[in-house]
Amino acid sequence: MDAGALLEGWLASLANERRLSAHTLRAYRATLERFLAHLNHTHGRPADAALLASLEAADIRAFLAARRAEGLSNTSAARELSAIRTFGGYLRDRHGIRLGGLEGVASPKVKKGLPRPISPVDAKALAETTGEFHDEPWLQARDTAVLLLLYGSGLRIGEALALTGGILPLGETLPVTGKGRKTRMIVLLPPVRDAIDQYLKLCPYAPSREHALFRGARGGPLDPGVLRGTLRKARVALGLPDSATPHALRHSFATHLLARGADLRTIQELLGHASLSSTQIYTSIDTARLLDVYKSAHPRG
C-alpha cells in the first residue's frame, strides 16, 4: 500500500476518533510528509508498506539528524519522533504493519521548563493597559475583557475566542469546550463578568448564538494575532518580560490558585488537563517561588 494513503488514513483517524485540533493535525502532517520525503530520497523510491516495514533504527536516526542539521531543537526533534511513533502505532493496530527501527531510537533529552506566570498586579495591569492601545472604547473594553477572562478563569486564548453569544446571559459558571472537544465548567468571577458586560454594552455588533462573542473591528471573529500584537505593545510599555503572553495569564491563574491553597485536582478540572501530571508542574513553580522568597529574605540565604 502507498505510504501517502496510509498517512491520509492515519490523519482521518486522528481527526474523527481522537478529535485532535486542526493545529496538531497540520503539525503531524508536516512531520510525516518530511519523513516520507526523506525516505523517498534516501531509498530512491516512493515509500510504501514494504519499505516502512524494512526500516532500521539508522533510517530514523538519519532523518532526525537531517532535521537537527536544519536547526531543529531537542524539543522539536522529540515532538517529531513522537509523531512518527504515533503513526507507527496506527500502522500496527489498523494494518498489521510494523514500522521498523522505532524500538532502537531513544527520544532526545528535553529539559522540562516551567511556565512563567506573572504577578496578580501585573496581570491586571496588562489586561487594562492592552485595551488602552485602541482608539475605540469598545475595542479597549474587548481586549480587557478577553485578558481578564484568561487570567480570571484559566482559559486558553482559543477557548475564549471560540465563545459565542450563546453563553449569554452570564452566570457564575460557564461551560467551555477545550482540547479533544471536552467540555468543562469554569468559574466567572464578578470582575470578569463586569468586564464582559461592559464590552457588550459598547460593542456595535449585537451578540448572537451563531457569532463569536468577541468581535474584530469589522465584526468578524477576533483574530488571536491581533490580540497578541496589542498585548506585546502593552508588555513593552509596562516593562514586562517577553514571557508575559496571553498563555502566561492562564499559567498565572493556576499558580495563584495553588498559592492560595487550591488542590491539584480542582486546578486540573478548571484548566481542562487530561491528566494530573500536566497540572503537577505548577507545584514546581510554587516551590521555586518560595525558594526565591527564602533566598532574598533569609539572612543566610
Side-chain angles (χ1 to χ4, degrees), residues 33-258:
E33 287 180 345
R34 282 191 293 266
F35 180 56
L36 295 178
H38 172 82
L39 296 179
N40 293 351
H41 175 72
T42 56
H43 288 266
R45 65 185 180 90
D48 56 15
L51 176 58
L52 293 173
S54 70
L55 295 181
E56 298 179 355
D59 293 298
I60 300 175
R61 291 196 194 102
F63 168 70
L64 295 176
R67 294 288 289 136
R68 292 302 302 273
E70 296 171 0
L72 202 69
S73 67
N74 269 11
T75 300
S76 297
R79 190 179 300 120
E80 297 217 339
L81 179 58
S82 175
I84 295 171
R85 289 191 194 281
T86 304
F87 181 54
Y90 166 81
L91 295 180
R92 180 193 64 238
D93 297 340
R94 296 297 179 86
H95 298 280
I97 300 170
R98 175 183 171 275
L99 181 56
L102 280 176
E103 295 81 0
V105 181
S107 183
K109 293 183 178 180
V110 177
K111 183 179 180 181
K112 195 168 186 179
L114 295 177
R116 299 172 67 183
I118 56 180
S119 72
V121 172
D122 286 341
K124 186 172 183 292
L126 191 62
E128 294 175 347
T129 303
T130 298
E132 294 174 359
F133 282 88
H134 294 290
D135 294 329
E136 293 285 343
W138 78 272
L139 294 176
Q140 296 174 7
R142 178 201 67 192
D143 284 8
T144 297
V146 174
L147 295 177
L148 285 179
L149 184 58
L150 301 187
Y151 175 60
S153 300
L155 268 65
R156 301 175 179 92
I157 187 171
E159 294 170 344
L161 299 189
L163 296 174
T164 70
I167 70 169
L168 303 175
L170 297 175
E172 294 184 348
T173 59
L174 175 69
V176 171
T177 302
K179 288 185 176 181
R181 300 180 191 174
K182 294 180 180 178
T183 299
R184 69 185 188 277
M185 196 66 67
I186 64 164
V187 176
L188 284 179
L189 299 173
V192 177
R193 292 202 303 273
D194 292 345
I196 296 175
D197 286 339
Q198 179 64 14
Y199 155 69
L200 291 172
K201 288 177 184 177
L202 298 174
C203 182
Y205 305 103
S208 72
R209 299 185 66 87
E210 295 77 26
H211 294 93
L213 181 68
F214 297 109
R215 306 288 192 99
R218 297 183 180 180
L222 173 59
D223 185 333
V226 171
L227 183 64
R228 289 191 180 98
T230 312
L231 183 142
R232 193 177 302 118
K233 297 176 184 177
R235 185 173 66 214
V236 172
L238 292 170
L240 296 177
D242 292 345
S243 58
T245 63
H247 204 65
L249 294 174
R250 173 174 157 89
H251 292 318
S252 300
F253 163 83
T255 307
H256 300 160
L257 280 181
L258 184 64

